[in-house]
mmCIF file with all atom_site columns, all heavy atoms in Angstrom:
data_model
loop_
_atom_site.group_PDB
_atom_site.id
_atom_site.type_symbol
_atom_site.label_atom_id
_atom_site.label_alt_id
_atom_site.label_comp_id
_atom_site.label_asym_id
_atom_site.label_entity_id
_atom_site.label_seq_id
_atom_site.pdbx_PDB_ins_code
_atom_site.Cartn_x
_atom_site.Cartn_y
_atom_site.Cartn_z
_atom_site.occupancy
_atom_site.B_iso_or_equiv
_atom_site.pdbx_formal_charge
_atom_site.auth_seq_id
_atom_site.auth_comp_id
_atom_site.auth_asym_id
_atom_site.auth_atom_id
_atom_site.pdbx_PDB_model_num
ATOM 1  N N   . ASP A 1 157 ? 3.862   62.143 63.665 1.00 0.00 ? 175 ASP A N   1
ATOM 2  C CA  . ASP A 1 157 ? 3.297   63.373 64.251 1.00 0.00 ? 175 ASP A CA  1
ATOM 3  C C   . ASP A 1 157 ? 1.898   63.175 64.829 1.00 0.00 ? 175 ASP A C   1
ATOM 4  O O   . ASP A 1 157 ? 1.342   64.128 65.378 1.00 0.00 ? 175 ASP A O   1
ATOM 5  C CB  . ASP A 1 157 ? 3.233   64.468 63.186 1.00 0.00 ? 175 ASP A CB  1
ATOM 6  C CG  . ASP A 1 157 ? 4.606   64.751 62.587 1.00 0.00 ? 175 ASP A CG  1
ATOM 7  O OD1 . ASP A 1 157 ? 5.535   64.950 63.372 1.00 0.00 ? 175 ASP A OD1 1
ATOM 8  O OD2 . ASP A 1 157 ? 4.729   64.732 61.376 1.00 0.00 ? 175 ASP A OD2 1
ATOM 9  N N   . LEU A 1 158 ? 1.333   62.017 64.655 1.00 0.00 ? 176 LEU A N   1
ATOM 10 C CA  . LEU A 1 158 ? -0.037  61.805 65.087 1.00 0.00 ? 176 LEU A CA  1
ATOM 11 C C   . LEU A 1 158 ? -0.066  61.458 66.581 1.00 0.00 ? 176 LEU A C   1
ATOM 12 O O   . LEU A 1 158 ? 0.665   60.590 67.047 1.00 0.00 ? 176 LEU A O   1
ATOM 13 C CB  . LEU A 1 158 ? -0.672  60.678 64.269 1.00 0.00 ? 176 LEU A CB  1
ATOM 14 C CG  . LEU A 1 158 ? -2.102  60.288 64.597 1.00 0.00 ? 176 LEU A CG  1
ATOM 15 C CD1 . LEU A 1 158 ? -2.877  59.979 63.305 1.00 0.00 ? 176 LEU A CD1 1
ATOM 16 C CD2 . LEU A 1 158 ? -2.172  59.063 65.511 1.00 0.00 ? 176 LEU A CD2 1
ATOM 17 N N   . ASP A 1 159 ? -0.900  62.194 67.334 1.00 0.00 ? 177 ASP A N   1
ATOM 18 C CA  . ASP A 1 159 ? -1.019  62.007 68.753 1.00 0.00 ? 177 ASP A CA  1
ATOM 19 C C   . ASP A 1 159 ? -2.160  61.037 69.142 1.00 0.00 ? 177 ASP A C   1
ATOM 20 O O   . ASP A 1 159 ? -2.028  60.284 70.098 1.00 0.00 ? 177 ASP A O   1
ATOM 21 C CB  . ASP A 1 159 ? -1.297  63.335 69.471 1.00 0.00 ? 177 ASP A CB  1
ATOM 22 C CG  . ASP A 1 159 ? -0.235  64.361 69.189 1.00 0.00 ? 177 ASP A CG  1
ATOM 23 O OD1 . ASP A 1 159 ? 0.940   64.067 69.456 1.00 0.00 ? 177 ASP A OD1 1
ATOM 24 O OD2 . ASP A 1 159 ? -0.586  65.458 68.693 1.00 0.00 ? 177 ASP A OD2 1
ATOM 25 N N   . VAL A 1 160 ? -3.256  61.152 68.416 1.00 0.00 ? 178 VAL A N   1
ATOM 26 C CA  . VAL A 1 160 ? -4.447  60.390 68.780 1.00 0.00 ? 178 VAL A CA  1
ATOM 27 C C   . VAL A 1 160 ? -5.136  59.785 67.579 1.00 0.00 ? 178 VAL A C   1
ATOM 28 O O   . VAL A 1 160 ? -5.056  60.319 66.464 1.00 0.00 ? 178 VAL A O   1
ATOM 29 C CB  . VAL A 1 160 ? -5.500  61.257 69.558 1.00 0.00 ? 178 VAL A CB  1
ATOM 30 C CG1 . VAL A 1 160 ? -4.918  61.765 70.879 1.00 0.00 ? 178 VAL A CG1 1
ATOM 31 C CG2 . VAL A 1 160 ? -5.938  62.445 68.712 1.00 0.00 ? 178 VAL A CG2 1
ATOM 32 N N   . ILE A 1 161 ? -5.856  58.708 67.841 1.00 0.00 ? 179 ILE A N   1
ATOM 33 C CA  . ILE A 1 161 ? -6.685  58.069 66.802 1.00 0.00 ? 179 ILE A CA  1
ATOM 34 C C   . ILE A 1 161 ? -8.072  57.822 67.379 1.00 0.00 ? 179 ILE A C   1
ATOM 35 O O   . ILE A 1 161 ? -8.213  57.449 68.534 1.00 0.00 ? 179 ILE A O   1
ATOM 36 C CB  . ILE A 1 161 ? -6.011  56.764 66.278 1.00 0.00 ? 179 ILE A CB  1
ATOM 37 C CG1 . ILE A 1 161 ? -6.845  56.122 65.166 1.00 0.00 ? 179 ILE A CG1 1
ATOM 38 C CG2 . ILE A 1 161 ? -5.792  55.765 67.413 1.00 0.00 ? 179 ILE A CG2 1
ATOM 39 C CD1 . ILE A 1 161 ? -6.627  56.739 63.828 1.00 0.00 ? 179 ILE A CD1 1
ATOM 40 N N   . PHE A 1 162 ? -9.075  58.053 66.524 1.00 0.00 ? 180 PHE A N   1
ATOM 41 C CA  . PHE A 1 162 ? -10.471 57.996 66.974 1.00 0.00 ? 180 PHE A CA  1
ATOM 42 C C   . PHE A 1 162 ? -11.201 57.046 66.002 1.00 0.00 ? 180 PHE A C   1
ATOM 43 O O   . PHE A 1 162 ? -11.844 57.458 65.044 1.00 0.00 ? 180 PHE A O   1
ATOM 44 C CB  . PHE A 1 162 ? -11.050 59.418 66.912 1.00 0.00 ? 180 PHE A CB  1
ATOM 45 C CG  . PHE A 1 162 ? -12.456 59.629 67.420 1.00 0.00 ? 180 PHE A CG  1
ATOM 46 C CD1 . PHE A 1 162 ? -13.082 58.675 68.263 1.00 0.00 ? 180 PHE A CD1 1
ATOM 47 C CD2 . PHE A 1 162 ? -13.188 60.719 67.058 1.00 0.00 ? 180 PHE A CD2 1
ATOM 48 C CE1 . PHE A 1 162 ? -14.367 58.861 68.742 1.00 0.00 ? 180 PHE A CE1 1
ATOM 49 C CE2 . PHE A 1 162 ? -14.489 60.924 67.501 1.00 0.00 ? 180 PHE A CE2 1
ATOM 50 C CZ  . PHE A 1 162 ? -15.062 59.999 68.330 1.00 0.00 ? 180 PHE A CZ  1
ATOM 51 N N   . PRO A 1 163 ? -11.080 55.745 66.243 1.00 0.00 ? 181 PRO A N   1
ATOM 52 C CA  . PRO A 1 163 ? -11.647 54.762 65.309 1.00 0.00 ? 181 PRO A CA  1
ATOM 53 C C   . PRO A 1 163 ? -13.055 54.344 65.698 1.00 0.00 ? 181 PRO A C   1
ATOM 54 O O   . PRO A 1 163 ? -13.448 54.352 66.839 1.00 0.00 ? 181 PRO A O   1
ATOM 55 C CB  . PRO A 1 163 ? -10.702 53.577 65.454 1.00 0.00 ? 181 PRO A CB  1
ATOM 56 C CG  . PRO A 1 163 ? -10.215 53.639 66.857 1.00 0.00 ? 181 PRO A CG  1
ATOM 57 C CD  . PRO A 1 163 ? -10.236 55.083 67.263 1.00 0.00 ? 181 PRO A CD  1
ATOM 58 N N   . LEU A 1 164 ? -13.804 53.894 64.699 1.00 0.00 ? 182 LEU A N   1
ATOM 59 C CA  . LEU A 1 164 ? -15.135 53.277 64.915 1.00 0.00 ? 182 LEU A CA  1
ATOM 60 C C   . LEU A 1 164 ? -14.887 51.854 65.416 1.00 0.00 ? 182 LEU A C   1
ATOM 61 O O   . LEU A 1 164 ? -14.140 51.093 64.783 1.00 0.00 ? 182 LEU A O   1
ATOM 62 C CB  . LEU A 1 164 ? -15.912 53.304 63.593 1.00 0.00 ? 182 LEU A CB  1
ATOM 63 C CG  . LEU A 1 164 ? -17.367 52.890 63.620 1.00 0.00 ? 182 LEU A CG  1
ATOM 64 C CD1 . LEU A 1 164 ? -18.108 53.519 62.454 1.00 0.00 ? 182 LEU A CD1 1
ATOM 65 C CD2 . LEU A 1 164 ? -17.492 51.405 63.559 1.00 0.00 ? 182 LEU A CD2 1
ATOM 66 N N   . PHE A 1 165 ? -15.598 51.492 66.464 1.00 0.00 ? 183 PHE A N   1
ATOM 67 C CA  . PHE A 1 165 ? -15.334 50.165 67.063 1.00 0.00 ? 183 PHE A CA  1
ATOM 68 C C   . PHE A 1 165 ? -16.539 49.701 67.837 1.00 0.00 ? 183 PHE A C   1
ATOM 69 O O   . PHE A 1 165 ? -17.005 50.376 68.762 1.00 0.00 ? 183 PHE A O   1
ATOM 70 C CB  . PHE A 1 165 ? -14.103 50.263 67.976 1.00 0.00 ? 183 PHE A CB  1
ATOM 71 C CG  . PHE A 1 165 ? -13.619 48.944 68.514 1.00 0.00 ? 183 PHE A CG  1
ATOM 72 C CD1 . PHE A 1 165 ? -13.291 47.893 67.628 1.00 0.00 ? 183 PHE A CD1 1
ATOM 73 C CD2 . PHE A 1 165 ? -13.409 48.756 69.879 1.00 0.00 ? 183 PHE A CD2 1
ATOM 74 C CE1 . PHE A 1 165 ? -12.830 46.688 68.086 1.00 0.00 ? 183 PHE A CE1 1
ATOM 75 C CE2 . PHE A 1 165 ? -12.923 47.540 70.346 1.00 0.00 ? 183 PHE A CE2 1
ATOM 76 C CZ  . PHE A 1 165 ? -12.632 46.517 69.465 1.00 0.00 ? 183 PHE A CZ  1
ATOM 77 N N   . ASN A 1 166 ? -17.072 48.552 67.458 1.00 0.00 ? 184 ASN A N   1
ATOM 78 C CA  . ASN A 1 166 ? -18.159 47.951 68.240 1.00 0.00 ? 184 ASN A CA  1
ATOM 79 C C   . ASN A 1 166 ? -18.115 46.437 68.032 1.00 0.00 ? 184 ASN A C   1
ATOM 80 O O   . ASN A 1 166 ? -17.486 45.938 67.115 1.00 0.00 ? 184 ASN A O   1
ATOM 81 C CB  . ASN A 1 166 ? -19.520 48.517 67.829 1.00 0.00 ? 184 ASN A CB  1
ATOM 82 C CG  . ASN A 1 166 ? -19.770 48.381 66.345 1.00 0.00 ? 184 ASN A CG  1
ATOM 83 O OD1 . ASN A 1 166 ? -19.932 47.266 65.838 1.00 0.00 ? 184 ASN A OD1 1
ATOM 84 N ND2 . ASN A 1 166 ? -19.778 49.498 65.603 1.00 0.00 ? 184 ASN A ND2 1
#
Side-chain angles (χ1 to χ4, degrees):
D175 302 310
L176 180 140
D177 303 304
V178 296
I179 182 79
F180 184 20
L182 187 155
F183 188 53
N184 56 68

